[in-house]
Amino acid sequence: MTQQNAEQAYLEEYIAIKLFKDNDRYKDDVYVAINGKNCVIKRGEWVKIKRKFALVLDQSEIQDSKAAKLMEAEQNRFVGQSRGAG
């Protein structure tokens, strides 16, 4: 098996995940699409999805976390500058 075939097989492998569910912001199912292929993931239940979709969810979570940290840092910088100007 070539490395490309092995990587493709890895991404296509099914894995079990469970997405957090509440009655507010995290109540709807999650739609994930990659290059024209898609899946809908039900929240609050164990489901099997292809690893490639789970990796997209992981990357999205990482990106959300970095964005939140950046927004907090910028807010703190703004507050600090405002105090210095006043």
Side-chain angles (χ1 to χ4, degrees):
M1 180 181 287
T2 68
Q3 181 165 346
Q4 185 176 8
N5 289 344
E7 289 173 4
Q8 188 65 25
Y10 174 78
L11 294 173
E12 294 293 323
E13 184 178 60
Y14 281 88
I15 62 169
I17 67 164
K18 182 177 180 181
L19 298 180
F20 175 76
K21 181 177 182 175
D22 64 10
N23 289 322
D24 188 29
R25 183 173 177 206
Y26 300 100
K27 63 183 175 190
D28 297 325
D29 297 342
V30 177
Y31 175 83
V32 181
I34 303 171
N35 296 331
K37 305 291 183 186
N38 60 64
C39 71
V40 177
I41 305 165
K42 190 163 184 69
R43 286 189 174 275
E45 296 180 13
W46 284 100
V47 295
K48 287 192 173 186
I49 63 170
K50 290 184 178 181
R51 184 184 310 273
K52 64 184 177 183
F53 295 116
L55 291 173
V56 167
L57 292 173
D58 287 344
Q59 288 299 316
S60 177
E61 187 176 338
I62 291 167
Q63 187 174 8
D64 286 348
S65 176
K66 287 182 179 182
K69 287 178 184 176
L70 177 61
M71 287 189 294
E72 183 179 359
E74 287 299 307
Q75 182 180 12
N76 290 340
R77 186 175 65 85
F78 176 77
V79 169
Q81 287 177 346
S82 297
R83 288 184 181 150

